[in-house]
Structure formats: C-alpha cells, structure tokens
Amino acid sequence: VQLVEFGGGLVQPGGSLRLSCAASGSDFKFYAMGWFRQAPGKERAYIAAISRSGDSTDHVDSVKGRFAISRDNTKNTVYLQMNSLKPEDTAVYYCAARFGAALSGVEGQYSYWGQGTQVTVSS
C-alpha cells in the first residue's frame, strides 16, 4: 500500500483544513487507518484512527470535538477534517495503514506510512 497525503498548508487560528490520504491498490478496504502528527522538536504522536469499514473511530482527547477522521472506500481515501485549529496543532501530519479491522493508536502496529503534509497554524 502506498499512501500520499494532501491538503496541508498555512491557516489562521480558528480556521479549518481537510487532509486527504490517497491509497494505492485494491486492498484499501482491508486496512484500518490512522492519522499521526509530529510537531517541531517532538516525537510523532497518534491523533485518530478508523476501522476498515469506517463504522468505528477514535480520537485523542486533545482533538475531540475539533477533528474528525473518515474514509471513503470507493475512493481509497481517508480524511481528517480539522476545525478550530490552534497554533499547537502545527505539525507534519501523517496517515498510516495497518492490515486488519482493529483500531490502534500504536505507531509500531502500522505497516505503511505516507510522506507527511505540513500544517501550520499561525496568524
């Protein structure tokens, strides 16, 4: 599985962005997907995950109510809608895939990673 993220950029505090992650191949529907981010000077951290069917999701507390993960298996794409962005959301955002149904926030359980897309929240 090859993953490519789109949609990063510069946005003002309080603004919104939608990240997309396009997956190659026909097996996308067999993979649970996750979003992670790495802020400057920090380790990469888990944000959200979605089951392979899309009927289960998980978000870390710091983004609950602001971010939403979703997927469209007909388009081989997973999304991260980000609203009410804060300067502390500034990071490189990565999508990742793990074979199977279960959600996971553990980086080591993901086998495939995108190259990342920069999100900068600043006025």
Side-chain angles (χ1 to χ4, degrees), residues 38-43:
Q38 186 167 21
K42 296 186 177 181
E43 294 186 352

PDB file of all heavy atoms in Angstrom, residues 38-43:
ATOM      1  N   GLN A  38       3.622  15.063  13.928  1.00  0.00           N
ATOM      2  CA  GLN A  38       4.895  15.327  14.586  1.00  0.00           C
ATOM      3  C   GLN A  38       5.141  16.823  14.603  1.00  0.00           C
ATOM      4  O   GLN A  38       5.344  17.439  13.545  1.00  0.00           O
ATOM      5  CB  GLN A  38       6.035  14.612  13.888  1.00  0.00           C
ATOM      6  CG  GLN A  38       7.363  14.729  14.623  1.00  0.00           C
ATOM      7  CD  GLN A  38       8.415  13.773  14.100  1.00  0.00           C
ATOM      8  OE1 GLN A  38       8.330  13.283  12.975  1.00  0.00           O
ATOM      9  NE2 GLN A  38       9.413  13.491  14.921  1.00  0.00           N
ATOM     10  N   ALA A  39       5.079  17.376  15.790  1.00  0.00           N
ATOM     11  CA  ALA A  39       5.333  18.797  15.971  1.00  0.00           C
ATOM     12  C   ALA A  39       6.839  19.033  16.049  1.00  0.00           C
ATOM     13  O   ALA A  39       7.606  18.119  16.376  1.00  0.00           O
ATOM     14  CB  ALA A  39       4.651  19.284  17.243  1.00  0.00           C
ATOM     15  N   PRO A  40       7.274  20.264  15.773  1.00  0.00           N
ATOM     16  CA  PRO A  40       8.715  20.552  15.831  1.00  0.00           C
ATOM     17  C   PRO A  40       9.317  20.208  17.182  1.00  0.00           C
ATOM     18  O   PRO A  40       8.782  20.594  18.228  1.00  0.00           O
ATOM     19  CB  PRO A  40       8.767  22.060  15.577  1.00  0.00           C
ATOM     20  CG  PRO A  40       7.527  22.362  14.806  1.00  0.00           C
ATOM     21  CD  PRO A  40       6.481  21.422  15.334  1.00  0.00           C
ATOM     22  N   GLY A  41      10.387  19.448  17.162  1.00  0.00           N
ATOM     23  CA  GLY A  41      11.072  19.086  18.390  1.00  0.00           C
ATOM     24  C   GLY A  41      10.411  18.019  19.225  1.00  0.00           C
ATOM     25  O   GLY A  41      10.847  17.745  20.349  1.00  0.00           O
ATOM     26  N   LYS A  42       9.342  17.412  18.684  1.00  0.00           N
ATOM     27  CA  LYS A  42       8.615  16.386  19.451  1.00  0.00           C
ATOM     28  C   LYS A  42       8.561  15.084  18.667  1.00  0.00           C
ATOM     29  O   LYS A  42       8.787  15.052  17.463  1.00  0.00           O
ATOM     30  CB  LYS A  42       7.202  16.865  19.771  1.00  0.00           C
ATOM     31  CG  LYS A  42       7.165  18.082  20.686  1.00  0.00           C
ATOM     32  CD  LYS A  42       5.744  18.417  21.080  1.00  0.00           C
ATOM     33  CE  LYS A  42       5.704  19.584  22.045  1.00  0.00           C
ATOM     34  NZ  LYS A  42       4.314  19.925  22.465  1.00  0.00           N
ATOM     35  N   GLU A  43       8.227  14.031  19.374  1.00  0.00           N
ATOM     36  CA  GLU A  43       8.056  12.739  18.721  1.00  0.00           C
ATOM     37  C   GLU A  43       6.702  12.695  18.008  1.00  0.00           C
ATOM     38  O   GLU A  43       5.775  13.425  18.344  1.00  0.00           O
ATOM     39  CB  GLU A  43       8.147  11.613  19.752  1.00  0.00           C
ATOM     40  CG  GLU A  43       9.524  11.471  20.378  1.00  0.00           C
ATOM     41  CD  GLU A  43       9.621  10.262  21.276  1.00  0.00           C
ATOM     42  OE1 GLU A  43       8.594   9.612  21.548  1.00  0.00           O
ATOM     43  OE2 GLU A  43      10.748   9.954  21.717  1.00  0.00           O
TER      44      GLU A  43
END
